[in-house]
């Protein structure tokens, strides 16, 4: 089955810093989403982005489906950005979402 | 519009007991999913459904059963609880695999 790997696994930032999170996948996909899991465990949709680029405030994401990766950019990080960031994909020809391993982000005040 | 709701929020089971985790969505989505998340790990798909009456296995289906008699409801059944099923369970729904999925708040289950 498709493999989804995220990097880095852990990231510590000072408030105000920028960061880039990466999601690599091993096969073609029909769907890709980025989620933020906050410290209370809630999963929050960030982007639905099977291809192209999207921006929402300080966050933006780019998926290059032909090269099998997606990037999540966080600018001017805030302590509320702390948590775990997951990407999830649906491999072409399937109905199943497969989650990546996650990037655990801690933003220090 | 409540989205995806899950009950209960927390539950403690003894080994061998059974229980049903409830999931309901009010968005008329055809696709529904059950995931488990073990501590410090990502989410793994247990079962999914593409519509009422149609279900299929995900990555980790052993020890679980599901049914989908209506579009709105997708209950997950644990028949003989084991400590390995201690986890947080998330339900999600989407209009299709080509659309974003929406998650419920989760059920934290402990089996002792």
């Amino acid at each position: 089955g498709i493999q989804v790997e995220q990097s880095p696994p852990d990231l510590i930032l000072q408030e105000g810093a920028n960061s880039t999170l990466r999601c690599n996948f091993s096969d073609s996909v029909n769907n890709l989403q980025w989620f933020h899991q906050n410290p209370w465990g809630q999963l929050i949709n960030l982007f639905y982005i099977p291809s192209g680029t999207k921006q929402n405030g300080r966050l933006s994401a780019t998926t290059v489906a032909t090269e099998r990766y997606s990037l999540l950019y966080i600018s001017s990080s805030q302590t509320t950005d702390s948590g775990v960031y997951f990407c999830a994909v649906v491999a072409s020809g399937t109905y199943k979402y497969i989650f990546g391993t996650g990037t655990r982000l801690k933003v220090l005040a | 519009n409540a989205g995806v709701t899950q009950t209960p929020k927390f539950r403690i089971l003894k080994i061998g007991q059974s229980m049903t985790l409830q999931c309901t969505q009010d968005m008329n989505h055809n696709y529904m999913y059950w995931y488990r998340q073990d501590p410090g790990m990502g989410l793994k798909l247990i079962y999914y459904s593409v519509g009422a009456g149609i279900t299929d296995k995900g990555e980790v289906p052993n020890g679980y059963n599901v049914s989908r008699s209506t579009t709105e409801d997708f209950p997950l059944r644990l028949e003989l609880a084991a400590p390995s099923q201690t986890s947080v369970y998330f339900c999600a729904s989407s209009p299709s695999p080509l659309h974003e999925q929406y998650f419920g708040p989760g059920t934290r289950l402990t089996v002792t």
Side-chain angles (χ1 to χ4, degrees):
Chain A
I2 192 169
Q3 302 297 313
V4 184
E5 294 183 355
Q6 292 184 241
S7 61
D10 296 281
L11 187 59
I12 300 176
L13 299 175
Q14 285 296 134
E15 201 168 27
N18 303 329
S19 62
T20 301
L21 283 58
R22 187 176 180 103
C23 173
N24 290 334
F25 40 96
S26 61
D27 208 343
S28 59
V29 299
N30 288 332
N31 187 353
L32 188 145
Q33 275 186 268
W34 282 98
F35 295 90
H36 175 215
Q37 187 168 40
N38 64 22
W40 296 271
Q42 184 184 10
L43 280 161
I44 300 162
N45 288 335
L46 295 178
F47 294 102
Y48 164 71
I49 186 166
S51 63
T53 297
K54 289 187 178 179
Q55 179 152 9
N56 184 3
R58 296 182 296 104
L59 274 59
S60 64
T62 294
T63 297
V64 184
T66 53
E67 297 188 20
R68 300 182 182 169
Y69 73 90
S70 183
L71 302 174
L72 178 69
Y73 305 97
I74 304 174
S75 64
S76 303
S77 58
Q78 300 175 357
T79 55
T80 51
D81 295 331
S82 296
V84 185
Y85 290 80
F86 291 104
C87 68
V89 304
V90 177
S92 298
T94 75
Y95 302 123
K96 305 176 186 180
Y97 286 87
I98 303 297
F99 273 73
T101 48
T103 291
R104 189 173 302 274
L105 173 65
K106 186 164 188 176
V107 181
L108 304 175
Chain B
N1 192 341
V4 180
T5 57
Q6 293 182 238
T7 57
K9 287 187 169 50
F10 305 94
R11 184 72 186 268
I12 299 174
L13 283 182
K14 293 189 185 306
I15 294 171
Q17 286 186 321
S18 301
M19 77 164 294
T20 299
L21 281 66
Q22 301 292 346
C23 175
T24 300
Q25 54 94 6
D26 62 0
M27 296 173 282
N28 202 33
H29 289 168
N30 284 325
Y31 288 74
M32 296 186 74
Y33 309 85
W34 273 108
Y35 297 89
R36 60 176 287 172
Q37 184 179 29
D38 297 333
M41 306 292 285
L43 279 73
K44 291 191 182 298
L45 184 65
I46 305 172
Y47 270 96
Y48 68 100
S49 170
V50 303
I54 307 171
T55 63
D56 204 352
K57 296 177 181 178
E59 299 173 87
V60 290
N62 291 343
Y64 306 95
N65 281 301
V66 293
S67 59
R68 184 95 181 271
S69 56
T70 67
T71 300
E72 295 77 21
D73 300 306
F74 190 39
L76 178 72
R77 178 91 178 150
L78 284 72
E79 289 295 347
L80 291 170
S84 61
Q85 293 177 305
T86 293
S87 191
V88 179
Y89 291 83
F90 289 97
C91 178
S93 73
S94 69
S96 83
L98 301 182
H99 292 81
E100 62 183 303
Q101 43 178 346
Y102 298 85
F103 278 81
T107 293
R108 188 175 297 273
L109 176 68
T110 301
V111 182
T112 63

